[in-house]
Amino acid sequence: MKYFFSIYFTFTFHFLLAQSPKKWEGMEKNNQYISFNFFSIAAPQFAIGPSAGWWYTERSEILIEAAYVATSPFYTNTGFSKLRGSRWLLEYRYHFLNNRKRILPLLPFRSMAGKIETFIGIQGMVKPVRFNAKATFINSVLNDTLYNYPFTAKANTLGLALIGGSVINLSSNEKWKLEIAIGLGGKNRKVKLKNIPSGYQKPSSLGIREWLYIAPLHENAGGLHMPISLRLRYCLN
């Protein structure tokens, strides 16, 4: 996964540098914005932070998000505590300009309000976190088991996904917009455990759960990455 992630960032920045600086009609208006993802604050790993976007050609857009990650106040049985970290997103988006439509029956606003447009893109994610947890550890030499043993850990997750979504204009001056997006890809998590007595190891979870088993945060794991976002935008120019 880390190799695909490196290739993605390399390709993205080379692509940006290769773009022509030629402007299109109306480019100077509403091509830079800030936004906030409301959906991320509902996840067990609470993430809150701003994002910023820039339309640099008529169809191409780049978005960057930096979020603070902590234990969610809405979940109590997460299996970890004192979670602290960050989440960084980088997205490239391609817009289908000929799909811009008015949806006045749904959003009866004035003028340009209610206009909707669609996009597809690719998202890269980096999420390093620290946390406390408890687990069972065994020492096969001493034939000893530690139950609910407290420890600290560092986890770093890399993700890559294809995304698609829509942007709905909410105001007549096109300053306020609502964005809905969803994606599908893969992610990989590497974890380092600390404060574990020498000779003790965590027993493997492979083969002891059903196929829908979701590995806890303190286990190395790979799986599906399904980013979902609901962002409120404010255009700066």
Side-chain angles (χ1 to χ4, degrees):
M1 175 62 69
K2 64 180 180 180
Y3 299 108
F4 287 106
F5 198 73
S6 300
I7 293 172
Y8 162 64
F9 274 105
T10 301
F11 172 79
T12 299
F13 285 116
H14 278 282
F15 183 82
L16 292 175
L17 292 175
Q19 295 302 301
S20 170
K22 180 177 64 175
K23 294 185 176 181
W24 73 88
E25 182 181 357
M27 177 182 177
E28 66 283 356
K29 181 181 179 182
N30 297 337
N31 70 322
Q32 298 175 8
Y33 64 87
I34 56 175
S35 61
F36 182 81
N37 184 6
F38 289 94
F39 194 87
S40 62
I41 65 177
Q45 297 178 33
F46 183 90
I48 183 170
S51 52
W54 172 47
W55 284 55
Y56 57 93
T57 73
E58 187 175 13
R59 293 180 180 270
S60 295
E61 174 191 356
I62 198 77
L63 178 137
I64 299 175
E65 180 177 293
Y68 173 71
V69 177
T71 303
S72 173
F74 308 113
Y75 295 83
T76 58
N77 188 24
T78 57
F80 54 81
S81 62
K82 296 183 179 180
L83 179 73
R84 296 292 184 273
S86 60
R87 186 187 67 187
W88 301 83
L89 302 179
L90 175 62
E91 297 182 4
Y92 165 75
R93 298 171 172 185
Y94 179 86
H95 288 260
F96 299 96
L97 302 183
N98 58 345
N99 278 351
R100 291 180 177 177
K101 299 178 180 179
R102 295 285 295 282
I103 53 172
L104 288 178
L106 297 179
L107 295 174
F109 302 140
R110 297 176 301 144
S111 185
M112 297 297 291
K115 183 180 69 176
I116 184 172
E117 57 192 55
T118 58
F119 64 85
I120 60 172
I122 185 169
Q123 180 198 91
M125 177 193 71
V126 178
K127 185 168 69 173
V129 297
R130 298 171 179 263
F131 59 94
N132 295 347
K134 294 181 179 180
T136 299
F137 296 89
I138 60 174
N139 188 318
S140 57
V141 176
L142 300 177
N143 194 24
D144 186 35
T145 302
L146 301 176
Y147 297 98
N148 292 322
Y149 189 82
F151 64 93
T152 60
K154 295 171 60 178
N156 188 46
T157 304
L158 302 180
L160 192 66
L162 296 176
I163 60 172
S166 298
V167 180
I168 304 172
N169 190 47
L170 299 179
S171 62
S172 58
N173 60 2
E174 298 189 69
K175 288 289 187 180
W176 292 97
K177 299 183 180 183
L178 183 68
E179 171 197 314
I180 303 172
I182 188 171
L184 179 64
K187 62 182 178 181
N188 187 58
R189 181 175 66 235
K190 295 296 184 182
V191 183
K192 292 183 178 180
L193 307 183
K194 296 183 177 181
N195 305 330
I196 307 301
S198 178
Y200 286 82
Q201 295 182 340
K202 189 179 183 302
S204 173
S205 298
L206 296 178
I208 64 173
R209 300 291 181 89
E210 64 275 9
W211 68 278
L212 288 175
Y213 170 66
I214 300 176
L217 186 58
H218 56 264
E219 289 186 3
N220 294 328
L224 291 178
H225 177 40
M226 299 181 62
I228 303 175
S229 62
L230 177 64
R231 290 187 172 93
L232 181 64
R233 293 185 181 185
Y234 177 74
C235 298
L236 299 176
N237 57 349

